[in-house]
Amino acid sequence: TAGTALVLAALELGPPGPVHRVLGAPAPAAVGRVSYSLYLWHWPVLVLAPLLAVRWQREWIDDRPAMFAAMGGFAVASYLAFERPIRFRLAPGARPVAVVVAGLVLTGVVAVPAAERLLPSDRDERIALAAVRDLSAPGPCPYFPRDWPAPDDARVCTWREGGDRSILLVGDSHAQMWLPAVEHVAERYDLTVYRVTRGGCPVNDVLVYHLDDIDGSKVPDHDCSEWRANLYRRAVAELDPDVVLASTRSHILGIKDGDRYLLPRDDEHRAVWRDGLVRSLGWLTAGSGVVVVSEILPTLPERVPACLAEHGLSTRACDWPVSVDRRVRSFNELIRTLPSAVPEVVTIDLTPLACPDGRCRAMADDVVVHRDDNHLSRSYVATLGDPFEALLRNAGVVFGQSTNSRPATAAQAQ
């Protein structure tokens, strides 16, 4: 605000020049006139466009050109239909104090009943929307990128102090998601639990990129790559865990490979993605423990809590077959080929825990299964301790011994 005030003062008080002509040209002046409407409309469009793209199965709605066009269209329409009439024609001679008082009164008159209308109106809706926040809390361990120190200063976090046997959880939010089930196994066998999870940072040794929120430019995540290379190696070298459980949802992220920016739908993306996973597993298998890589859960067409809030907890409209996510299949096929490249690795499919009998249920008894369209809720994962342990045992992981020897071959373990 101070910077804007200084620019305005400089332009008003200074002599006319090139800056005046540029900023006073018709196009910048037109943007300035609708700037308040743009400010009001940009956020609803950013929030609703991805949801409508999924609901209506129209991916182009979520593209930036479409969103910019919608912002501009709504801004111009509201400027002409509401802003100008209210400012210049409704009460042109009104005193400023009266305008402010009237604005505050009208805001209260509209906001109070609107808030009552928009708050969850019944028990089903409250339970459904509460599931959005039902995630495995990071606790004292760093998890979000902003919480981790520089890669050279980062250290493995001890989540649970137990006996000599240990399990190391690595990956992104899809690893963090399984923490309640890992805790169940750890408590049963008195395991020490180490955690190296970082939101949005994949297990694969690849340089992923994100789109800048302001201008849409591609921003490579070098911090994630450096952190992963340092901490994965350090965790195995210093701790030599008996079990390493790796899980990631990195198949949806774009990859920067040299000068190329690869999208998930590109064939080259899948090859680079798998090669990066093999490199990371080379670091994680440097110890003597078993390294277990989980397949990726399907992404559902709609966020489950929102669907339940609309249709009620007893609905079946929010259940989806596993086959609804066609994109994830090819990546899970690549995961199943990993033991051929890294024989010390075994793979497990945790999808039956999330989607028994091939169907991803929205509710399991009175528990909401998903907290969005791809993450399981903490409450639901906490009920999966025994079947989670059984799947690990079937993969060759033995918790009842003082040391965990690797299976003779990955094929035998599977």
Side-chain angles (χ1 to χ4, degrees), residues 57-413:
Q57 298 294 300
R58 299 289 187 272
E59 293 185 3
W60 62 266
I61 296 176
D62 196 18
D63 291 340
R64 288 183 179 273
M67 287 195 288
F68 286 140
M71 292 175 195
F74 289 136
V76 171
S78 64
Y79 172 76
L80 296 175
F82 297 102
E83 184 177 339
R84 283 186 59 82
I86 290 173
R87 288 177 61 194
F88 301 117
R89 293 199 294 272
L90 189 63
R95 292 178 300 167
V97 172
V99 172
V100 171
V101 171
L104 292 174
V105 171
L106 287 173
T107 299
V109 169
V110 172
V112 172
E116 289 293 327
R117 179 71 181 87
L118 294 174
L119 288 173
S121 58
D122 56 31
R123 174 181 173 275
D124 283 9
E125 194 172 353
R126 288 194 297 272
I127 292 174
L129 296 181
V132 175
R133 299 183 296 276
D134 189 15
L135 71 163
S136 298
C141 292
Y143 167 70
F144 297 103
R146 64 178 179 269
D147 299 327
W148 278 100
D152 290 338
D153 299 325
R155 293 292 180 270
V156 178
C157 183
T158 302
W159 180 255
R160 181 185 188 276
E161 291 278 4
D164 294 335
R165 291 164 296 151
S166 61
I167 182 169
L168 170 66
L169 184 63
V170 301
D172 51 27
S173 60
H174 268 232
Q176 178 76 10
M177 176 178 70
W178 292 108
L179 188 57
V182 172
E183 289 175 328
H184 172 89
V185 176
E187 291 172 4
R188 174 171 291 177
Y189 297 101
D190 193 28
L191 304 177
T192 296
V193 178
Y194 300 112
R195 227 189 67 198
V196 183
T197 54
R198 178 174 172 131
C201 187
V203 171
N204 318 56
D205 178 32
V206 292
L207 178 59
V208 299
Y209 67 87
H210 307 283
L211 297 180
D212 185 87
D213 291 335
I214 303 300
D215 60 10
S217 61
K218 299 179 177 67
V219 181
D221 194 350
H222 292 284
D223 287 344
C224 164
S225 294
E226 295 174 12
W227 171 88
R228 177 179 52 237
N230 284 3
L231 214 54
Y232 282 16
R233 289 186 174 106
R234 187 179 302 146
V236 175
E238 295 176 359
L239 304 173
D240 193 17
D242 295 280
V243 181
V244 178
L245 176 60
S247 185
T248 187
R249 189 174 176 256
S250 54
H251 71 297
I252 64 168
L253 300 176
I255 297 174
K256 186 177 188 298
D257 182 42
D259 296 330
R260 301 183 301 168
Y261 289 89
L262 304 177
L263 295 172
R265 59 175 175 264
D266 299 334
D267 291 337
E268 297 91 341
H269 178 281
R270 287 190 287 272
V272 173
W273 184 88
R274 182 185 183 277
D275 291 343
L277 193 50
V278 169
R279 283 193 297 274
S280 294
L281 293 176
W283 305 334
L284 296 174
T285 56
S288 59
V290 180
V291 178
V292 183
V293 181
S294 71
E295 295 184 23
I296 308 167
L297 299 186
T299 297
L300 307 181
E302 192 169 355
R303 295 171 185 265
V304 169
C307 181
L308 290 173
E310 180 178 352
H311 297 287
L313 301 185
S314 61
T315 185
R316 289 290 176 264
C318 306
D319 296 354
W320 301 92
V322 171
S323 58
V324 75
D325 185 2
R326 294 190 294 270
R327 177 194 296 182
V328 79
R329 297 178 196 169
S330 60
F331 289 93
N332 280 335
E333 289 172 359
L334 292 177
I335 289 177
R336 288 192 286 271
T337 67
L338 291 173
S340 63
V342 189
E344 301 87 352
V345 166
V346 294
T347 64
I348 58 172
D349 182 10
L350 297 176
T351 301
L353 301 185
C355 308
D357 301 321
R359 192 155 192 85
C360 302
R361 302 169 298 167
M363 298 291 299
D365 296 326
D366 59 348
V367 176
V368 180
V369 175
H370 286 77
R371 66 177 186 85
D372 53 21
D373 59 354
N374 66 91
H375 293 91
L376 302 179
S377 70
R378 182 202 59 80
S379 298
Y380 180 67
V381 175
T383 69
L384 300 177
D386 288 339
F388 177 80
E389 179 189 345
L391 284 177
L392 289 176
R393 285 187 174 279
N394 290 339
V397 181
V398 180
F399 297 105
Q401 298 177 352
S402 58
T403 58
N404 217 331
S405 58
R406 287 173 174 162
T409 66
Q412 289 175 344

Side-chain angles (χ1 to χ4, degrees), residues 24-47:
V31 174
R33 280 191 289 273
V34 299
S35 60
Y36 183 69
S37 293
L38 283 170
Y39 156 74
L40 292 177
W41 279 107
H42 85 280
W43 187 242
V45 172
L46 288 175
V47 170

